[in-house]
Amino acid sequence: MGASGSKPDKVVQELPDDENYFGLENFGNTCYCNSVLQTLYFCRPFREQVLHYGARLQAAAANSRQLPPENMLTCLADLFLQVNGQKRKCGYVSPRRFVSRVKAENALFSSYMHQDAHEFLNWLLNDISEALEKEGRSAARRVSRDCSRSSSRASSRGASPTKARSPTKAATGAAMNARSPSLQLLSQAATKAAAARNRPVRTWVHDLFQGKLVNETRCLQCETVTSREEDFYDLSLEIDQNCSLTSCLRNFSSTETLDAEDKFFCDQCGCLQEAQKRMRLARLPPVLCLHLKRFKYMESLGRMKKLMHRVTFPWELKMINTTDDCPDADSAYELFAVVVHMGAHPNHGHYVALVRTPCGQWVCFDDEQVNAITEAQVQSVFGHTQDWHPTREDQPGLHADHGYILMYQRVQQAGQSRQQQQQPRELHT
């Protein structure tokens, strides 16, 4: 894979920062993949972790150490290193190895059909975290084996030879006291390593993207509250005509009454009862990924339909305006990327990524093409104030570019530097 030349955008070339702005070649309906990759590359803490991982792989290869088998993470690290290492500011690269791996790993993405960018993002984050978890468990097993071997060797060294002269009682006690601490520490280390193999491994993907929801259901008869915690990498939000992102988030946590045919089976009452249900945000991640549910199955049509609703979203999202009982409700987030779906139908169209640079300039990544855009152009993907209903699948219509995935990053806290926020770290084991 090598960088190829396309006519670079003059504004992008002259941006006052040290970023590389490289498009990605489309291999036939891979725009869903390219747009998601651009948003992840310009998610600074995520990029730094992937580059750190890639550098470790390169160091291991240079020292002839065993490398993990090729997977989505190794291919992603190779691609990010390639873009990050370019000497030019603009151009495009061919993510051939990465796309080939995607098709090999997931049959859903192996065809040339139109794919869903949100499904791909969710699958990719889960696949990467699983690869890191597997490495973490392998590291724990190695530590456990090493501790067991060290303990075994220490025990064999401490055993007295059968034909040796018996030491005095004082000498024996001194020897045991000298050996016991090291054997005890080794035993403790082996126990901790064994416990680490059995508990979930938390990775930097979890640290960046994973939040927590609490699904609460309150029986209206006995007032018993049933709670269930759920982890999430993104929030999928229902949308309405002429709404805002803030109202969508408010509705996400609103209370719903379960009655009639939707009654709740209460374990305390032992029967179906009317109840109130809500999804409560319990923990927010540093990188908040929001998915607008623009594709909906319509029973009257017997098929999926794209909702052309106008949904406004802010540059800065204050969570205190969307929830009142989340511990992170005082968090503020800045918008740094938008995945846009272009087209009037769920099974056709195109994806592009809009990214905000460190200096505040917005840039559009449309596969190989990279161009500077204005804030007004970003706002143009909010949607329409009135719905448009084409009569035919191939009928050209109004401007149909809509924000689909919104990526926000938590504003750094006072007294915490950007370096502290983005510092790469090793796996939690």
Side-chain angles (χ1 to χ4, degrees):
M1 297 191 301
S4 301
S6 63
K7 187 176 181 181
D9 184 281
K10 186 176 180 182
V11 175
V12 177
Q13 278 190 314
E14 295 176 354
L15 287 176
D17 55 55
D18 58 356
E19 280 285 1
N20 290 339
Y21 299 96
F22 276 73
L24 299 172
E25 183 180 356
N26 190 321
F27 296 104
N29 272 2
T30 56
C31 57
Y32 70 93
C33 174
N34 290 346
S35 59
V36 167
L37 288 175
Q38 295 291 6
T39 63
L40 291 177
Y41 183 82
F42 283 93
C43 177
R44 296 297 190 84
F46 180 83
R47 183 209 306 179
E48 291 302 320
Q49 292 287 2
V50 174
L51 292 176
H52 179 65
Y53 181 87
R56 285 168 44 207
L57 291 182
Q58 289 181 336
N63 295 323
S64 300
R65 294 201 299 269
Q66 184 177 0
L67 297 176
E70 182 179 283
N71 54 39
M72 294 311 308
L73 180 54
T74 62
C75 293
L76 184 66
D78 178 73
L79 178 61
F80 277 19
L81 285 169
Q82 182 189 4
V83 175
N84 190 68
Q86 296 293 329
K87 295 182 179 179
R88 292 183 296 159
K89 195 179 189 70
C90 304
Y92 76 89
V93 298
S94 298
R96 189 177 300 278
R97 180 187 175 198
F98 182 86
V99 172
S100 297
R101 194 74 221 173
V102 169
K103 294 179 181 294
E105 291 283 341
N106 194 327
L108 177 67
F109 304 115
S110 62
S111 71
Y112 289 95
M113 295 176 61
H114 184 72
Q115 303 294 345
D116 190 294
H118 171 248
E119 289 184 7
F120 174 71
L121 172 61
N122 203 279
W123 170 77
L124 180 61
L125 291 179
N126 277 284
D127 190 271
I128 291 173
S129 63
E130 288 172 7
L132 290 170
E133 289 171 19
K134 185 177 180 180
E135 288 188 19
R137 293 191 183 94
S138 296
R141 284 194 294 270
R142 287 196 298 271
V143 171
S144 180
R145 287 197 300 267
D146 292 344
C147 289
S148 298
R149 291 169 182 169
S150 299
S151 178
S152 177
R153 287 196 297 268
S155 299
S156 63
R157 285 197 301 269
S160 299
T162 54
K163 294 184 179 181
R165 186 177 60 184
S166 298
T168 64
K169 185 176 181 180
T172 302
M176 289 181 65
N177 289 334
R179 290 195 302 269
S180 295
S182 60
L183 292 175
Q184 184 178 9
L185 290 174
L186 287 169
S187 177
Q188 290 175 351
T191 301
K192 290 180 179 180
R197 293 198 305 271
N198 298 321
R199 70 169 182 258
V201 177
R202 186 168 179 85
T203 71
W204 47 262
V205 177
H206 298 111
D207 289 345
L208 290 175
F209 290 96
Q210 191 180 77
K212 188 176 293 295
L213 295 169
V214 177
N215 190 334
E216 295 180 342
T217 306
R218 181 170 65 91
C219 175
L220 295 180
Q221 178 64 31
C222 67
E223 299 294 324
T224 299
V225 177
T226 303
S227 299
R228 184 180 74 252
E229 291 188 345
E230 300 177 15
D231 295 324
F232 69 88
Y233 277 148
D234 62 81
L235 296 177
S236 291
L237 306 177
E238 299 284 350
I239 64 174
D240 294 309
Q241 181 58 280
N242 297 325
C243 66
S244 68
L245 182 65
T246 300
S247 65
C248 292
L249 283 165
R250 239 186 258 120
N251 291 336
F252 181 84
S253 297
S254 63
T255 301
E256 173 190 2
T257 299
L258 304 178
D259 55 11
E261 296 179 354
D262 297 324
K263 283 184 178 180
F264 168 73
F265 185 88
C266 176
D267 291 332
Q268 188 72 19
C269 297
C271 60
L272 294 172
Q273 297 286 2
E274 292 187 353
Q276 289 183 332
K277 178 182 178 181
R278 65 174 298 204
M279 294 290 288
R280 179 170 61 84
L281 291 170
R283 188 180 69 236
L284 296 171
V287 180
L288 182 61
C289 179
L290 303 175
H291 162 233
L292 303 182
K293 297 174 73 171
R294 288 201 171 274
F295 305 123
K296 184 176 182 179
Y297 181 79
M298 309 296 289
E299 291 187 5
S300 59
L301 300 175
R303 59 178 173 82
M304 297 290 289
K305 176 190 174 183
K306 179 179 178 181
L307 302 181
M308 314 284 277
H309 300 336
R310 178 177 175 83
V311 183
T312 62
F313 47 85
W315 309 134
E316 183 174 312
L317 178 63
K318 296 182 179 179
M319 295 305 294
I320 194 67
N321 296 329
T322 68
T323 181
D324 56 2
D325 58 357
C326 175
D328 301 324
D330 60 345
S331 298
Y333 287 83
E334 289 182 341
L335 181 71
F336 71 89
V338 182
V339 173
V340 176
H341 181 267
M342 307 171 69
H345 306 282
N347 299 321
H348 306 280
H350 182 57
Y351 289 102
V352 300
L354 312 182
V355 171
R356 188 176 185 271
T357 70
C359 65
Q361 172 68 54
W362 282 91
V363 176
C364 175
F365 291 86
D366 183 355
D367 290 330
E368 297 91 342
Q369 300 299 317
V370 181
N371 295 290
I373 58 174
T374 65
E375 287 190 353
Q377 288 175 293
V378 179
Q379 292 173 335
S380 72
V381 304
F382 286 171
H384 306 289
T385 55
Q386 293 182 346
D387 280 337
W388 168 63
H389 302 281
T391 57
R392 300 195 316 271
E393 285 286 315
D394 59 347
Q395 177 184 351
L398 301 174
H399 172 79
D401 304 349
H402 300 88
Y404 185 48
I405 302 173
L406 310 176
M407 304 284 278
Y408 284 85
Q409 186 171 336
R410 182 181 288 153
V411 178
Q412 67 185 52
Q413 302 297 319
Q416 184 180 22
S417 68
R418 182 177 294 274
Q419 287 75 18
Q420 288 174 317
Q421 283 195 318
Q422 299 180 358
Q423 183 178 6
R425 64 170 180 81
E426 302 297 332
L427 291 175
H428 290 309
T429 55

